[in-house]
Amino acid sequence: MFIAKEYITPSAQYLLNNNPLAKQAYTEVFESIKSIVTDQHSEFYINNTEKNGNGVVPIKEKCYIKLENDFLWFREKPLAYLKKEMKKGGPIDVYKEFFKDDQQLNVGLEFETGNISSAHRSMNKLAVGLKRKEIQLAILMMPIKQLSFYLTDRVSNYEELEPYFCIVEDNPYIIIGFDAEHYCDNVPFLPKGKDGMSHRSTRKWNKS
Amino acid sequence: MFIAKEYITPSAQYLLNNNPLAKQAYTEVFESIKSIVTDQHSEFYINNTEKNGNGVVPIKEKCYIKLENDFLWFREKPLAYLKKEMKKGGPIDVYKEFFKDDQQLNVGLEFETGNISSAHRSMNKLAVGLKRKEIQLAILMMPIKQLSFYLTDRVSNYEELEPYFCIVEDNPYIIIGFDAEHYCDNVPFLPKGKDGMSHRSTRKWNKS
């Protein structure tokens, strides 16, 4: 897969230009998206013979495996504000603390695979993390519209959420729309739900 | 019904204290919530003999009828930014332009009857209206948790969204949690969906 569309707020752009930790985080996410390839290929091929023909979870899994195994990101990081203070709300999907000298940068990432209203919740969860200073950079990933047409019914897409990007424009926020390199009729459909996903243990966040 | 819980951001509080148009808008919303009463009663009675036993639409309808008929609010006001610039996204549920001398204040309101992720979308739609300066005050209404237990399954509630209120704290935003005055076992359940709702023509926004 590759980054086809991208929204980078001014403060996120400033971080990418001036903070090596932010640059490193972005590179790791970029590499993880590039690592989403069809087996035995170096790029991604999506079967485009049927609307909603492919599951989205196998795509997310490939990205997460790279982030967890090669770049040591954690899964399911609870925000202290939500967990301890408000006592409700789920964890951030993927999270990593970057360190260099006396600098620290915490990055939260959500790979959105739900419908459009679920995408609003993901966007807002990262916004709470920024607001409460538990993360310093937020990254939201979703397929672009053209790709989502061939994925699970009602999976939200970049263009659909785009009118709302402006509400996070004052925060260090990056929203990524990814796409497949190739659309074709001779690769298998991606399985839906948990079908065909081999069980693996995730690198769950287990600190406070 | 009555306002049981309320979140008023500092800038909304400032408006309420200093701008008579904002004060008038709040009073009209307050009166509309008070007008949600059980037929032949002066307060609201909810049947609490069954979890999810009542529909939420009849509650919303009573509130909207008051806002539209007595206070001349409009329904379904498209945001120019969403409709003309982005060419996607639905209208704001209820809307009114208040005028006095050379002052104007546009107020947008959403009465949330969907699930929690839908509530995030409503919150964000009003936030876009504020960001784009098409409204100057946003009001979001939802039942409190105790009441929602007896309403349609998965209707979102004030407490559930509360952890996210902080992301709108810098905007003129009011979030209202309403509740019934009485919980009892001898009133009819409120019909669900459109059942039992008599058809009425709404005061739809028809300007540009």
Side-chain angles (χ1 to χ4, degrees):
Chain A
M1 296 278 185
F2 70 103
I3 296 176
K5 300 193 170 190
E6 197 168 35
Y7 173 78
I8 302 179
T9 63
S11 53
Q13 189 61 60
Y14 181 85
L15 277 180
L16 293 180
N17 293 346
N18 296 285
N19 185 322
L21 300 178
K23 177 83 187 149
Q24 184 189 343
Y26 182 85
T27 302
E28 292 181 5
V29 170
F30 178 89
E31 290 296 329
S32 298
I33 292 170
K34 289 266 292 177
S35 82
I36 308 171
V37 295
T38 301
D39 291 344
Q40 277 103 43
H41 292 78
S42 62
E43 296 188 324
F44 201 91
Y45 293 73
I46 191 94
N47 185 318
N48 68 344
T49 58
E50 205 177 291
K51 179 177 189 291
N52 307 138
N54 299 278
V56 66
V57 176
I59 300 173
K60 181 165 78 168
E61 273 299 289
K62 281 176 193 269
C63 182
Y64 281 3
I65 286 170
K66 183 80 176 178
L67 283 170
E68 292 171 57
N69 294 356
D70 286 11
F71 298 125
L72 306 179
W73 290 59
F74 288 94
R75 296 287 301 281
E76 301 176 36
K77 164 67 165 71
L79 291 173
Y81 172 67
L82 294 182
K83 189 176 181 182
K84 294 181 183 164
E85 205 169 320
M86 304 302 293
K87 300 193 192 305
K88 52 174 71 90
I92 284 184
D93 226 9
V94 197
Y95 172 83
K96 184 174 174 181
E97 298 176 348
F98 294 82
F99 295 93
K100 192 184 180 217
D101 303 330
D102 58 348
Q103 275 203 307
Q104 177 173 353
L105 186 91
N106 303 341
V107 183
L109 182 151
E110 295 265 331
F111 188 120
E112 181 57 37
T113 56
N115 64 19
I116 181 63
S117 57
S118 167
H120 280 279
R121 178 170 47 187
S122 294
M123 185 166 76
N124 290 354
K125 193 192 293 171
L126 292 171
V128 167
L130 290 168
K131 191 86 190 167
R132 294 288 151 179
K133 304 189 194 307
E134 297 189 44
I135 58 174
Q136 288 78 45
L137 178 63
I139 305 176
L140 181 62
M141 281 173 52
M142 50 210 310
I144 66 164
K145 187 177 179 187
Q146 175 180 247
L147 177 63
S148 72
F149 186 83
Y150 300 108
L151 301 178
T152 318
D153 194 23
R154 300 184 64 210
V155 161
S156 59
N157 61 69
Y158 182 93
E159 290 88 339
E160 202 177 3
L161 192 66
E162 199 171 17
Y164 299 89
F165 291 176
C166 62
I167 62 180
V168 298
E169 74 185 359
D170 297 329
N171 302 314
Y173 217 114
I174 299 175
I175 303 174
I176 289 171
F178 60 85
D179 193 12
E181 282 89 354
H182 308 280
Y183 288 68
C184 65
D185 60 7
N186 59 359
V187 290
F189 287 112
L190 301 171
K192 291 184 178 177
K194 301 252 174 217
D195 299 357
M197 301 303 301
S198 54
H199 179 75
R200 68 177 183 94
S201 60
T202 56
R203 246 176 77 83
K204 251 178 125 161
W205 181 263
N206 56 11
K207 304 170 198 173
S208 68
Chain B
M1 296 279 184
F2 70 103
I3 297 175
K5 300 193 171 189
E6 200 167 32
Y7 173 78
I8 302 180
T9 63
S11 54
Q13 189 61 59
Y14 181 86
L15 277 180
L16 292 181
N17 293 347
N18 296 285
N19 185 322
L21 300 178
K23 178 82 186 150
Q24 184 191 339
Y26 183 85
T27 302
E28 292 180 6
V29 170
F30 178 87
E31 290 296 330
S32 299
I33 292 170
K34 288 266 293 177
S35 82
I36 309 171
V37 296
T38 302
D39 292 343
Q40 280 103 45
H41 291 78
S42 62
E43 295 188 324
F44 200 92
Y45 294 74
I46 190 96
N47 186 317
N48 68 343
T49 59
E50 205 177 290
K51 179 176 187 293
N52 308 135
N54 299 277
V56 67
V57 176
I59 300 173
K60 180 166 77 169
E61 272 300 290
K62 281 176 193 267
C63 182
Y64 281 3
I65 286 169
K66 184 80 174 177
L67 284 170
E68 291 172 57
N69 295 356
D70 288 10
F71 298 126
L72 306 179
W73 290 58
F74 288 95
R75 296 286 301 282
E76 300 177 38
K77 166 66 165 71
L79 291 173
Y81 172 67
L82 293 183
K83 190 177 180 183
K84 294 179 184 168
E85 205 170 320
M86 302 304 291
K87 300 192 192 309
K88 53 174 67 94
I92 284 185
D93 226 8
V94 198
Y95 173 83
K96 185 174 174 182
E97 297 176 349
F98 293 83
F99 295 94
K100 193 183 179 220
D101 304 329
D102 58 347
Q103 274 204 307
Q104 177 173 352
L105 186 91
N106 303 342
V107 183
L109 183 151
E110 295 265 332
F111 189 121
E112 180 57 36
T113 57
N115 63 20
I116 181 63
S117 57
S118 167
H120 280 278
R121 178 170 48 187
S122 296
M123 184 165 80
N124 289 355
K125 194 192 293 170
L126 292 171
V128 168
L130 290 168
K131 191 85 189 168
R132 293 288 150 178
K133 304 190 193 308
E134 296 191 44
I135 60 174
Q136 288 78 46
L137 178 62
I139 305 176
L140 180 63
M141 282 173 50
M142 50 210 309
I144 64 163
K145 187 176 179 187
Q146 175 179 247
L147 177 62
S148 72
F149 185 82
Y150 300 107
L151 300 179
T152 317
D153 192 24
R154 301 185 63 210
V155 162
S156 58
N157 62 68
Y158 181 94
E159 290 87 340
E160 202 177 3
L161 192 66
E162 199 170 18
Y164 298 90
F165 291 177
C166 63
I167 62 178
V168 298
E169 75 185 0
D170 297 329
N171 303 314
Y173 218 114
I174 299 175
I175 302 173
I176 289 171
F178 61 84
D179 194 10
E181 282 89 354
H182 309 281
Y183 288 68
C184 66
D185 59 7
N186 59 358
V187 289
F189 287 111
L190 301 172
K192 291 185 179 176
K194 301 252 172 218
D195 299 358
M197 301 304 301
S198 54
H199 179 76
R200 69 178 183 94
S201 59
T202 55
R203 247 176 77 81
K204 248 179 128 161
W205 181 263
N206 55 10
K207 302 170 201 173
S208 69

